Structures are given as C-alpha cells and as structure tokens.
Amino acid sequence: MDCQGLTGKVILPCDAEYNRARQEYNEAINKYPLAICYCCDIQDVINALLWSERQGVQVRIRSGGHHYEGYSVGTNKLVIDTSFMNGIRINSEDDTVEVQAGSRLMHLYKTLYNSGYTFPGGTCPTVAISGLVLGGGIGLSTRYLGLTTDSLIEAQMVDANGNLLTANHCQNENLFWALRGAGGGNFGVVTSYKFHLRKINKITLFELKWSNQSARLKFLQVWQEWLRNLDTRISAFGRIYKPGPWLFGFFYGYPEEARQILEPFLSIPGISFENIEYVDFIDAVKIIGEIYPKREAFKATGRFIERQLCHCELEKIIDIVNAAPTEDNSFIGLYSLGGAVSAMKTDSTAFFYRQANYIMGISSSWECKAAAPVVIEWVESGFKYIYTLSMGSYVNFPYNNLPCYEYAYYGEHIQKLWSIKKEYDPHNVFEFPQSIKTGCE
Ligand SMILES: Cc1cc2nc3c(=O)[nH]c(=O)nc-3n(C[C@H](O)[C@H](O)[C@H](O)COP(=O)(O)OP(=O)(O)OC[C@H]3O[C@@H](n4cnc5c(N)ncnc54)[C@H](O)[C@@H]3O)c2cc1C
C-alpha cells in the first residue's frame, strides 16, 4: 500500500504495534483496519482525509475507542485516530477551556480541577471527550450542569474536503446544532472543542448498596417516584444486579441535605454499604472511575424512559435481572435525566430526548469467550422488553440491531439532520453502520 501523504504516526498490519492499535475498549470488537493513523495535529487529519480520497479508502474516526459496537474501527478502513491530540488550554479570564479531540475524561477532570473547575462529563475515566460530547454526554453532574454538550460553545472540524471549519452560534450554526447530540463520526473529524466552565471544589458523593434481593423492586419504585420532583443539584446512576441494587451519585451541596434527599432510598431495608461524604470533586470522580476495568468484552445498550412504569412492568424488569447470566457483571442500569437537561428546549440542540426521566440500560460482560453467546442473548432478550417501555435510544449507548435507528436516536430531529448531513458531507464520506444517511430529505 502506498502510504505517501499520510502523516502522523501510521501503523500498518505488518507493524508489531498493530494488534494493540486496532483494539477498542470493548474487547469483543475484532476489526482489521488497512492502517491506523495517529494524528498529532490538524494537518495530519487533513492529510489523512485527502489520502483516503485519493486511495478510495473509507475512513473511521476514533478518539477514545469506547464505542459500544466498535464503529470507530473497521476492516479495510483507514482509522483516523485523534488520541494523540490531547492538549487542554484553560482561559480563567472568561472561564472557558479548549480541549483537543483526543483528550480522555480523567485527564480533563484533573486538569480542570487543578484550576478550581468542575465539568459535566461522564463517569468512565478513559472515554474521550469526542464521542461523549458529540452524542450528548451524561454523568453525575448532568441534572445540575446539563449534558456535556450543553457546555459546548465552539468546535473546530475538518470536513471531507480537508477544510477546517469553526462551528458556534454565529458560524456554521446548523453544524454546531448537529454536533451537540447527533453522535460522533457523521459530519467530519472534530479536532477541538471549547466549553464554558463552572468553579466548584467540593461536592457530596453518595454510594448505597444493598445485598438483599427483595430490595430491588422497592428500589425501582423509589427510583421513578424520586425523580418526579427531585432537587436539580443531585444526579444519580443506579444498577440492579441479581444480589441487590446499587445507587451512586453527586450532590452539589452538603451531606446533611443529601441525606434528607436520599431518605426514600435510605429507608429501603438491607443496606450493606453506605457512604455519604463531602469530598473534593476530583476525588469523587476518581472513586466512581474505579468501577470500570481497563478493558472488557461486553454487550450493552440503553433507552430513554419518559413515563412511570407500572408494578407489573417493574416486576418484569426484576425477572430479567433474575435471568442474568452472572451475578456481579450483569445489570440493568439507570441514569438520571431531568433538571438542567429538560430545562432546555428540545430543539436547542440535536439531542432529542430532553424530556425523558432517565435512561434504562442493560449490560453484561464476559471473560471467557465461550460465555459470550449466553451473555449476548440475555442482553438482547432484555433489550426487547425495555424497548416496549421506552421512547428512543441514546446514541452513545448504541445497539447494532436497533430497528429504524435514525428515528430511534434522533426522533423528529432526523429531518434537520439529513439536511445538515447533505450540506456538510454530500458524498457520504463519513459513513458507518448507523451513520446519518444522505439523500433522505
Ligand atoms: C465503560 C464505558 C463507560 C461509559 N460511560 C458513559 C457515561 O457515563 N456517560 C455517557 O454519556 N456515556 C458513557 N459511555 C458511552 C460513551 O459516551 C460513548 O461510547 C462515546 O461515544 C465514547 O467516545 P470515545 O471517543 O471514547 O469513543 P470512539 O469509539 O473513539 O468514538 C465514538 C464515536 O465518535 C466518533 N468520533 C470519535 N472521535 C471523533 C472526532 N474526533 N470527530 C468526530 N467523530 C469522532 C467515532 O467515529 C464513533 O462514532 C461509556 C462507554 C463505556 C465503554
């Protein structure tokens, strides 16, 4: 293969590093790219796109490599990887930060915290800013500070022709709208983001665990009732495992008040672990980040829930958990929304499901390959039921077999997204299994 014109660090199948370089966070993904181009600057990105056009090679874009279904790599594709572009520049005069596309969340959280800032990112330390912000970005500050994407004020993107575009409220406004929630990889290679920031040092971290199967149904009942009129300063994730439920989150206030807000959960019998403490923001982020393994083989997805589920629907969720293939790594996940997310108008960004109360996910992982079919079957059959309760899918918790994926991810926003796709990527250079289609208006 003629690599002339490709710049940055280029890894080919013959290189010793190839097998490591092609690997995504999800070890179940097994793709063989033609080449992986680690870009060090914008010019490397431009060169990679021009090279792919000359060679007739399709591209995939990658930053943190955490896509659930592995759409940031592909067999016989050129992977344009921005993970070496991880600079972060804070401007404390106007409380903003410029973040290069490949920056990973823990690096970002730490850098910002050292200057006294918090950030509404996700919970996994090695997820990169790109995939997270382009799909929305949900975490433990979301109800108070909004989605990650709601803090975005500008992005720089290289389009299919190699032009560097600035997108904000004044330039390329439609593109800027689309970049806030339409998911990564659809319009071009984003090279950097500018966010506005909030100064906060300390928060209350809470973690509650039950080793009691009978707590699970009560937990689900409390969860949905609790979210109805919940203080916007609190955000939480829940997990329902076979042996019992788990709740963790951040409260932007003091522990005494957090305890009052958490009272409906605290009164569920069988709590085996309780921690409600006032900590530095960065310590809370680190404690939660430790949940995640360095890498794992997994199957997971998630859907938006907008209505109260009835008793028999909640019981059915517990039946799904009871059928889980493992006790400690198969769970139904709950991710709180509302607050600052629903306070913004639905059409203010491409993120469509602002009125949802929460996301319900289903997730499981395996260590031995032989266990994979059983685990995948459990996730797929659980998903079928969750599908009937829900209104749409979170593009950052994607699912290969999702019916009518464009409507599922974008609802009524798909019409506008088709026209933006046509404007910025008319030849569909940025195509992958669930990309926004061209020519569908
Ligand atoms: C363990 C784990 C924990 C997670 N926790 C959360 C969470 O708490 N909250 C949450 O909201 N989500 C969470 N996610 C989902 C996560 O937000 C998505 O997987 C996200 O897309 C990952 O981004 P990435 O850059 O790391 O991944 P990648 O696989 O590199 O990219 C994801 C998508 O973005 C595209 N993309 C990557 N870089 C660029 C770029 N520079 N320009 C344009 N497109 C690009 C890719 O082509 C791909 O389509 C989690 C995922 C995992 C695996």
Side-chain angles (χ1 to χ4, degrees), residues 103-218:
S103 304
R104 302 204 185 233
L105 291 187
M106 187 53 82
H107 173 47
L108 179 59
Y109 279 128
K110 281 184 182 166
T111 310
L112 293 176
Y113 179 75
N114 288 338
S115 296
Y117 294 106
T118 180
F119 187 72
T123 47
C124 175
T126 50
V127 161
I129 189 64
S130 282
L132 183 81
V133 64
L134 296 173
I138 290 160
L140 299 176
S141 304
T142 300
R143 289 174 39 81
Y144 188 48
L145 301 176
L147 301 167
T148 310
T149 214
D150 296 340
S151 293
L152 187 68
I153 46 184
E154 188 170 287
Q156 305 271 325
M157 187 192 85
V158 180
D159 72 8
N161 297 321
N163 300 313
L164 181 65
L165 309 178
T166 298
N168 56 32
H169 282 298
C170 306
Q171 299 172 69
N172 296 297
E173 301 97 305
N174 279 341
L175 176 64
F176 184 54
W177 180 89
L179 292 178
R180 289 174 293 154
N186 277 303
F187 304 101
V189 184
V190 182
T191 54
S192 68
Y193 308 87
K194 186 174 179 183
F195 296 96
H196 73 75
L197 296 170
R198 301 276 283 276
K199 273 212 150 131
I200 294 162
N201 276 322
K202 281 183 155 300
I203 59 156
T204 296
L205 164 73
F206 57 91
E207 297 170 272
L208 303 174
K209 272 185 194 170
W210 290 256
S211 299
N212 178 1
Q213 289 201 331
S214 56
R216 298 172 308 177
L217 185 60
K218 183 72 187 157

